[in-house]
Amino acid sequence: MKAVIAAALALLALPAAAACPEPAEVARLAGAIVDRRAPPPPVQGMDLADAACARDRLVALLAQPWGDRVGWKVGLTTPAAQARFGVPHPLAGAIFHGTLRARSGAEIPAGYGIAPAIESDLLVRVRDEGVNEAGADHVALLRHLDQVIPFLELPDLVHGPATAWSGPLLLSINVGARLGVVGEPIAVQATPDFAAALGTMQVALTEGGREVSRAPGTALLGHPLNALSWLVADLRAQGRRLRAGEYVSLGGFSPPLPVRAGQDYVATYTGLATDPVSVDVRIR
Protein backbone atom coordinates (compact mmCIF):
# COMPACT_ATOMS: atom_id res chain seq x y z
CA MET A 1 0.00 0.00 0.00
CA LYS A 2 2.90 2.39 0.76
CA ALA A 3 4.19 1.99 -2.78
CA VAL A 4 0.74 2.69 -4.22
CA ILE A 5 0.34 5.83 -2.10
CA ALA A 6 3.82 7.09 -3.01
CA ALA A 7 3.16 6.62 -6.72
CA ALA A 8 -0.25 8.25 -6.57
CA LEU A 9 1.00 11.28 -4.65
CA ALA A 10 2.92 12.29 -7.75
CA LEU A 11 -0.43 12.63 -9.54
CA LEU A 12 -1.93 14.94 -6.96
CA ALA A 13 -0.18 18.23 -7.58
CA LEU A 14 -3.48 20.08 -7.58
CA PRO A 15 -3.93 23.69 -6.57
CA ALA A 16 -5.29 23.59 -3.03
CA ALA A 17 -7.99 25.77 -1.57
CA ALA A 18 -7.28 27.31 1.80
CA ALA A 19 -8.53 24.38 3.84
CA CYS A 20 -8.18 21.59 1.28
CA PRO A 21 -6.31 18.78 3.02
CA GLU A 22 -2.71 18.36 1.92
CA PRO A 23 -1.95 15.33 -0.28
CA ALA A 24 -0.10 13.64 2.59
CA GLU A 25 -3.18 13.96 4.83
CA VAL A 26 -5.41 12.47 2.14
CA ALA A 27 -2.88 9.68 1.59
CA ARG A 28 -3.07 8.72 5.26
CA LEU A 29 -6.85 8.58 5.03
CA ALA A 30 -6.71 6.51 1.83
CA GLY A 31 -4.30 4.06 3.44
CA ALA A 32 -6.61 3.61 6.42
CA ILE A 33 -9.65 3.07 4.17
CA VAL A 34 -7.91 0.49 1.99
CA ASP A 35 -6.38 -1.32 4.98
CA ARG A 36 -9.64 -1.09 6.98
CA ARG A 37 -8.02 0.42 10.07
CA ALA A 38 -8.86 3.40 12.25
CA PRO A 39 -8.76 6.59 10.18
CA PRO A 40 -6.89 9.75 11.15
CA PRO A 41 -9.01 12.42 12.86
CA PRO A 42 -11.39 14.25 10.51
CA VAL A 43 -10.11 17.47 8.97
CA GLN A 44 -11.84 20.45 10.56
CA GLY A 45 -12.97 23.71 8.96
CA MET A 46 -13.67 22.54 5.42
CA ASP A 47 -16.36 24.11 3.31
CA LEU A 48 -17.91 22.23 0.37
CA ALA A 49 -15.30 23.53 -2.08
CA ASP A 50 -12.48 22.33 0.18
CA ALA A 51 -14.25 18.99 0.61
CA ALA A 52 -14.64 18.54 -3.16
CA CYS A 53 -10.89 19.08 -3.49
CA ALA A 54 -10.32 16.48 -0.76
CA ARG A 55 -12.71 14.06 -2.49
CA ASP A 56 -10.92 14.36 -5.82
CA ARG A 57 -7.54 13.74 -4.20
CA LEU A 58 -8.95 10.72 -2.36
CA VAL A 59 -10.56 9.32 -5.53
CA ALA A 60 -7.23 9.51 -7.37
CA LEU A 61 -5.68 7.35 -4.65
CA LEU A 62 -8.52 4.86 -4.26
CA ALA A 63 -8.66 4.25 -8.02
CA GLN A 64 -5.26 2.55 -7.69
CA PRO A 65 -6.47 -0.46 -5.64
CA TRP A 66 -10.20 -0.33 -6.51
CA GLY A 67 -10.11 0.19 -10.27
CA ASP A 68 -10.99 3.13 -12.48
CA ARG A 69 -13.96 5.35 -11.81
CA VAL A 70 -17.01 3.98 -13.67
CA GLY A 71 -19.58 6.55 -12.61
CA TRP A 72 -21.00 8.54 -9.73
CA LYS A 73 -23.17 8.12 -6.65
CA VAL A 74 -25.64 10.73 -5.45
CA GLY A 75 -25.94 10.98 -1.69
CA LEU A 76 -28.25 12.95 0.60
CA THR A 77 -31.29 12.48 -1.63
CA THR A 78 -33.88 12.58 1.17
CA PRO A 79 -34.88 15.47 3.47
CA ALA A 80 -33.89 13.43 6.54
CA ALA A 81 -30.38 12.78 5.19
CA GLN A 82 -29.90 16.43 4.23
CA ALA A 83 -31.04 17.56 7.68
CA ARG A 84 -28.66 15.14 9.37
CA PHE A 85 -25.64 16.47 7.48
CA GLY A 86 -26.72 20.10 7.38
CA VAL A 87 -26.72 20.47 3.58
CA PRO A 88 -29.92 21.43 1.68
CA HIS A 89 -29.00 19.50 -1.47
CA PRO A 90 -27.38 16.20 -2.53
CA LEU A 91 -23.65 15.45 -2.72
CA ALA A 92 -21.81 13.39 -5.33
CA GLY A 93 -19.03 10.83 -5.02
CA ALA A 94 -17.21 8.58 -7.47
CA ILE A 95 -17.91 4.87 -7.84
CA PHE A 96 -15.24 2.46 -8.99
CA HIS A 97 -14.97 -0.72 -11.04
CA GLY A 98 -14.73 -2.65 -7.76
CA THR A 99 -17.95 -1.05 -6.50
CA LEU A 100 -20.02 -2.92 -9.09
CA ARG A 101 -18.20 -6.25 -9.21
CA ALA A 102 -20.50 -8.26 -6.91
CA ARG A 103 -23.70 -9.77 -8.34
CA SER A 104 -26.95 -10.61 -6.61
CA GLY A 105 -26.50 -13.61 -4.31
CA ALA A 106 -22.91 -12.71 -3.47
CA GLU A 107 -21.37 -13.22 -0.04
CA ILE A 108 -19.50 -10.22 1.37
CA PRO A 109 -17.42 -10.24 4.57
CA ALA A 110 -18.84 -8.11 7.36
CA GLY A 111 -15.49 -6.37 7.79
CA TYR A 112 -15.25 -5.02 4.25
CA GLY A 113 -14.90 -1.47 5.60
CA ILE A 114 -14.09 0.55 8.70
CA ALA A 115 -17.74 1.40 9.39
CA PRO A 116 -19.65 -0.81 6.92
CA ALA A 117 -23.33 -0.19 6.19
CA ILE A 118 -26.04 -1.20 3.73
CA GLU A 119 -28.89 0.61 1.96
CA SER A 120 -31.34 -0.09 -0.86
CA ASP A 121 -30.47 1.95 -3.94
CA LEU A 122 -30.95 2.06 -7.72
CA LEU A 123 -28.45 2.29 -10.59
CA VAL A 124 -28.94 3.64 -14.08
CA ARG A 125 -26.54 3.22 -17.00
CA VAL A 126 -25.91 6.06 -19.44
CA ARG A 127 -26.62 5.23 -23.09
CA ASP A 128 -25.13 8.39 -24.59
CA GLU A 129 -23.90 11.84 -23.73
CA GLY A 130 -27.21 13.44 -24.71
CA VAL A 131 -28.13 12.95 -21.05
CA ASN A 132 -26.07 16.07 -20.32
CA GLU A 133 -28.49 18.20 -22.35
CA ALA A 134 -31.73 16.42 -21.41
CA GLY A 135 -32.66 18.82 -18.63
CA ALA A 136 -35.13 17.81 -15.94
CA ASP A 137 -37.80 16.12 -18.09
CA HIS A 138 -38.02 12.49 -17.03
CA VAL A 139 -38.84 11.00 -20.44
CA ALA A 140 -36.10 13.08 -22.07
CA LEU A 141 -33.60 11.72 -19.54
CA LEU A 142 -34.78 8.14 -20.14
CA ARG A 143 -33.98 8.48 -23.86
CA HIS A 144 -30.30 8.64 -22.93
CA LEU A 145 -30.29 5.68 -20.51
CA ASP A 146 -30.34 2.00 -21.41
CA GLN A 147 -30.58 0.16 -18.07
CA VAL A 148 -32.16 0.55 -14.64
CA ILE A 149 -30.55 -1.85 -12.16
CA PRO A 150 -31.60 -2.93 -8.64
CA PHE A 151 -28.68 -2.15 -6.34
CA LEU A 152 -27.70 -2.73 -2.73
CA GLU A 153 -25.07 -0.18 -1.82
CA LEU A 154 -22.48 -1.19 0.79
CA PRO A 155 -20.90 2.11 1.83
CA ASP A 156 -18.09 2.62 4.31
CA LEU A 157 -18.87 5.59 6.54
CA VAL A 158 -15.21 5.55 7.69
CA HIS A 159 -15.46 7.83 10.74
CA GLY A 160 -18.35 5.98 12.36
CA PRO A 161 -21.67 7.05 13.90
CA ALA A 162 -20.17 8.89 16.90
CA THR A 163 -18.54 11.48 14.63
CA ALA A 164 -19.84 15.06 14.43
CA TRP A 165 -20.87 14.67 10.80
CA SER A 166 -21.28 17.52 8.34
CA GLY A 167 -21.85 17.78 4.61
CA PRO A 168 -18.22 18.71 3.90
CA LEU A 169 -16.92 15.79 5.97
CA LEU A 170 -19.17 13.34 4.09
CA LEU A 171 -18.08 14.76 0.73
CA SER A 172 -14.41 14.57 1.72
CA ILE A 173 -14.68 10.78 2.16
CA ASN A 174 -16.22 10.47 -1.32
CA VAL A 175 -19.72 10.19 0.19
CA GLY A 176 -18.68 6.84 1.66
CA ALA A 177 -18.58 4.95 -1.67
CA ARG A 178 -17.11 1.45 -1.30
CA LEU A 179 -18.93 -1.69 -2.49
CA GLY A 180 -22.29 -2.70 -3.89
CA VAL A 181 -24.28 -5.67 -5.14
CA VAL A 182 -25.85 -5.45 -8.60
CA GLY A 183 -29.13 -7.09 -9.65
CA GLU A 184 -30.43 -7.99 -13.09
CA PRO A 185 -30.71 -4.98 -15.42
CA ILE A 186 -34.11 -3.80 -16.60
CA ALA A 187 -34.27 -2.33 -20.10
CA VAL A 188 -35.26 1.33 -20.04
CA GLN A 189 -38.40 2.41 -21.86
CA ALA A 190 -38.43 6.11 -22.70
CA THR A 191 -42.16 6.45 -22.02
CA PRO A 192 -44.34 8.38 -19.57
CA ASP A 193 -45.52 5.05 -18.10
CA PHE A 194 -41.98 3.88 -17.32
CA ALA A 195 -41.12 7.26 -15.82
CA ALA A 196 -44.26 7.09 -13.68
CA ALA A 197 -43.37 3.56 -12.51
CA LEU A 198 -40.00 4.79 -11.25
CA GLY A 199 -41.81 7.27 -9.05
CA THR A 200 -44.62 5.04 -7.78
CA MET A 201 -42.66 1.81 -7.20
CA GLN A 202 -42.14 0.59 -3.64
CA VAL A 203 -38.67 -0.43 -2.46
CA ALA A 204 -38.49 -2.69 0.58
CA LEU A 205 -35.33 -3.82 2.38
CA THR A 206 -35.32 -6.94 4.55
CA GLU A 207 -32.70 -8.21 6.99
CA GLY A 208 -32.96 -11.92 7.75
CA GLY A 209 -36.47 -11.94 6.31
CA ARG A 210 -37.64 -9.01 8.49
CA GLU A 211 -38.59 -5.79 6.72
CA VAL A 212 -36.44 -2.93 8.00
CA SER A 213 -37.40 -0.17 5.58
CA ARG A 214 -39.87 0.66 2.82
CA ALA A 215 -40.07 3.73 0.61
CA PRO A 216 -41.63 4.83 -2.68
CA GLY A 217 -39.59 5.97 -5.66
CA THR A 218 -40.58 9.52 -4.81
CA ALA A 219 -38.41 9.31 -1.67
CA LEU A 220 -35.43 10.30 -3.85
CA LEU A 221 -35.85 14.05 -4.42
CA GLY A 222 -39.48 13.53 -5.46
CA HIS A 223 -38.47 11.11 -8.26
CA PRO A 224 -35.31 9.02 -8.84
CA LEU A 225 -34.54 10.80 -12.11
CA ASN A 226 -34.41 14.12 -10.26
CA ALA A 227 -31.20 12.81 -8.69
CA LEU A 228 -29.80 12.24 -12.17
CA SER A 229 -30.67 15.74 -13.39
CA TRP A 230 -29.14 17.19 -10.20
CA LEU A 231 -25.92 15.25 -10.84
CA VAL A 232 -25.70 16.47 -14.45
CA ALA A 233 -25.96 20.07 -13.22
CA ASP A 234 -23.43 19.48 -10.44
CA LEU A 235 -20.92 17.95 -12.84
CA ARG A 236 -21.47 20.75 -15.37
CA ALA A 237 -20.56 23.30 -12.68
CA GLN A 238 -17.23 21.47 -12.33
CA GLY A 239 -16.62 21.29 -16.09
CA ARG A 240 -17.47 17.59 -16.19
CA ARG A 241 -19.96 15.46 -18.14
CA LEU A 242 -21.51 12.03 -17.88
CA ARG A 243 -20.10 9.62 -20.47
CA ALA A 244 -21.70 6.73 -22.36
CA GLY A 245 -21.44 3.52 -20.34
CA GLU A 246 -21.11 5.24 -16.97
CA TYR A 247 -23.30 4.24 -14.03
CA VAL A 248 -25.11 6.50 -11.60
CA SER A 249 -26.22 5.37 -8.15
CA LEU A 250 -29.33 7.49 -7.56
CA GLY A 251 -29.43 7.40 -3.75
CA GLY A 252 -30.57 5.44 -0.76
CA PHE A 253 -34.23 4.53 -0.34
CA SER A 254 -33.31 3.39 3.16
CA PRO A 255 -31.01 5.12 5.64
CA PRO A 256 -27.62 3.38 5.94
CA LEU A 257 -27.92 0.48 8.38
CA PRO A 258 -24.92 -1.20 10.04
CA VAL A 259 -24.34 -4.62 8.48
CA ARG A 260 -24.58 -7.70 10.68
CA ALA A 261 -22.62 -10.87 10.07
CA GLY A 262 -24.69 -13.93 9.25
CA GLN A 263 -27.59 -11.92 7.81
CA ASP A 264 -29.21 -12.00 4.37
CA TYR A 265 -30.30 -8.64 2.96
CA VAL A 266 -32.82 -8.34 0.13
CA ALA A 267 -34.07 -5.22 -1.65
CA THR A 268 -37.34 -5.78 -3.52
CA TYR A 269 -38.75 -3.34 -6.09
CA THR A 270 -42.50 -3.63 -6.64
CA GLY A 271 -44.15 -1.78 -9.51
CA LEU A 272 -40.99 -1.14 -11.54
CA ALA A 273 -41.45 -4.20 -13.79
CA THR A 274 -44.40 -6.52 -14.43
CA ASP A 275 -43.34 -8.66 -11.47
CA PRO A 276 -41.36 -7.62 -8.38
CA VAL A 277 -37.59 -7.72 -8.87
CA SER A 278 -34.95 -8.02 -6.18
CA VAL A 279 -31.25 -8.02 -5.37
CA ASP A 280 -29.73 -9.82 -2.39
CA VAL A 281 -26.49 -10.29 -0.50
CA ARG A 282 -25.32 -12.43 2.41
CA ILE A 283 -23.03 -10.80 4.95
CA ARG A 284 -20.74 -13.39 6.42
Side-chain angles (χ1 to χ4, degrees):
M1 182 62 202
K2 290 181 179 179
V4 169
I5 297 297
L9 282 173
L11 303 175
L12 298 178
L14 303 175
C20 181
E22 293 297 324
E25 292 180 275
V26 180
R28 286 192 288 273
L29 176 61
I33 291 172
V34 171
D35 294 339
R36 302 186 301 280
R37 52 182 168 77
V43 175
Q44 302 297 322
M46 290 184 293
D47 61 18
L48 286 174
D50 301 325
C53 171
R55 175 201 61 193
D56 291 346
R57 287 178 167 172
L58 181 64
V59 167
L61 291 168
L62 294 180
Q64 301 289 321
W66 293 354
D68 291 340
R69 184 183 62 77
V70 295
W72 298 90
K73 68 167 287 187
V74 184
L76 305 191
T77 51
T78 66
Q82 292 174 12
R84 178 188 175 194
F85 289 91
V87 177
H89 54 73
L91 297 173
I95 55 177
F96 306 90
H97 176 73
T99 307
L100 306 182
R101 190 175 298 157
R103 293 295 182 264
S104 187
E107 291 192 357
I108 304 290
Y112 70 80
I114 302 169
I118 191 166
E119 58 186 58
S120 52
D121 204 311
L122 191 71
L123 290 172
V124 293
R125 190 173 73 175
V126 177
R127 179 194 297 275
D128 60 68
E129 291 192 26
V131 71
N132 297 286
E133 285 72 49
D137 182 81
H138 296 159
V139 176
L141 287 164
L142 288 171
R143 292 191 187 104
H144 305 287
L145 305 175
D146 60 4
Q147 292 180 356
V148 171
I149 309 169
F151 184 53
L152 280 169
E153 190 190 359
L154 298 169
D156 182 359
L157 299 182
V158 178
H159 295 295
T163 298
W165 281 100
S166 67
L169 180 57
L170 182 65
L171 184 60
S172 74
I173 62 164
N174 192 37
V175 200
R178 179 61 182 97
L179 292 178
V181 180
V182 179
E184 287 296 319
I186 298 166
V188 166
Q189 303 169 45
T191 65
D193 285 348
F194 193 81
L198 282 166
T200 58
M201 68 179 176
Q202 293 285 319
V203 183
L205 178 65
T206 61
E207 177 189 70
R210 178 178 65 90
E211 185 173 300
V212 292
S213 74
R214 176 179 290 270
T218 53
L220 304 186
L221 298 180
H223 192 283
L225 293 176
N226 292 344
L228 178 62
S229 61
W230 176 88
L231 176 65
V232 167
D234 186 60
L235 293 177
R236 182 183 296 119
Q238 303 169 54
R240 293 168 162 162
R241 292 169 62 84
L242 284 173
R243 305 295 182 186
E246 288 190 325
Y247 294 86
V248 178
S249 165
L250 297 176
F253 293 96
S254 58
L257 302 173
V259 297
R260 296 201 297 164
Q263 294 295 322
D264 295 309
Y265 294 86
V266 182
T268 302
Y269 305 72
T270 303
L272 179 56
T274 303
D275 298 313
V277 294
S278 63
V279 56
D280 65 279
V281 64
R282 180 167 182 79
I283 303 296
R284 64 172 190 270

